Amino acid sequence: MPVSLQFIDNLVHVHLAPEQTNGRFGLVEMLGRADDAPPLHLHRRDDEGFHVVAGEVTLWIGDADPVVLTAGRSAVAPRGVPHTYRVTGGAPARWFVTATPGDFISLALAYGTPTDATELWAQPTAPPDAELLGRLADEHDIEILGPPGALPT
């Protein structure tokens, strides 16, 4: 049974933590509401894969044109390349994220709050703790480059 977390404004189901794969790989399922977007960031060690199963997610990866992922489409944000996403299309989305070797999943486990939720909840009552998130991101080899909505170009 996966561990479920409230991570920033997402519901995250951790299917494989890096500890389960000898630190080689991690896999999470994410649910995000329309317009959900994380801070602009880069991974120093992780290659991050995205596979959308419902809804629409637009990725901005480096200086490339945006990539619109709908159900069944995938993309990779390579390590060292600034990137972000936004849930587009006016509806919630569900997607899987792979992280190799898994620092992103370790960050989600460190920052997230365990939950029994299976669906997205009402908006969080408080904004994320930016100082704690920034410190934990740095500890997990992730560099936050800008606020949610900032693009890499």
Side-chain angles (χ1 to χ4, degrees), residues 9 37 39 42 106 108 121 126 147 149:
D9 192 24
L42 66 79
S106 296
W121 48 86

Side-chain angles (χ1 to χ4, degrees), residues 1-81:
M1 185 66 131
V3 172
S4 297
L5 306 166
Q6 179 179 345
F7 177 68
I8 307 177
D9 192 24
N10 297 108
L11 177 59
V12 174
H13 302 297
V14 180
H15 291 279
L16 288 172
E19 296 75 27
Q20 296 172 274
T21 65
N22 293 321
R24 293 187 189 107
F25 174 84
L27 173 69
V28 296
E29 178 182 358
M30 297 184 66
L31 288 91
R33 68 187 83 254
D35 296 321
D36 171 53
L40 176 64
H41 63 282
L42 66 79
H43 300 265
R44 295 183 196 112
R45 294 183 345 129
D46 276 344
D47 290 316
E48 187 175 28
F50 297 81
H51 179 78
V52 172
V53 294
E56 179 181 287
V57 177
T58 300
L59 293 172
W60 289 267
I61 303 169
D63 58 5
D65 289 337
V67 177
V68 178
L69 301 178
T70 54
R73 295 202 57 212
S74 303
V76 173
R79 70 190 72 188
V81 177

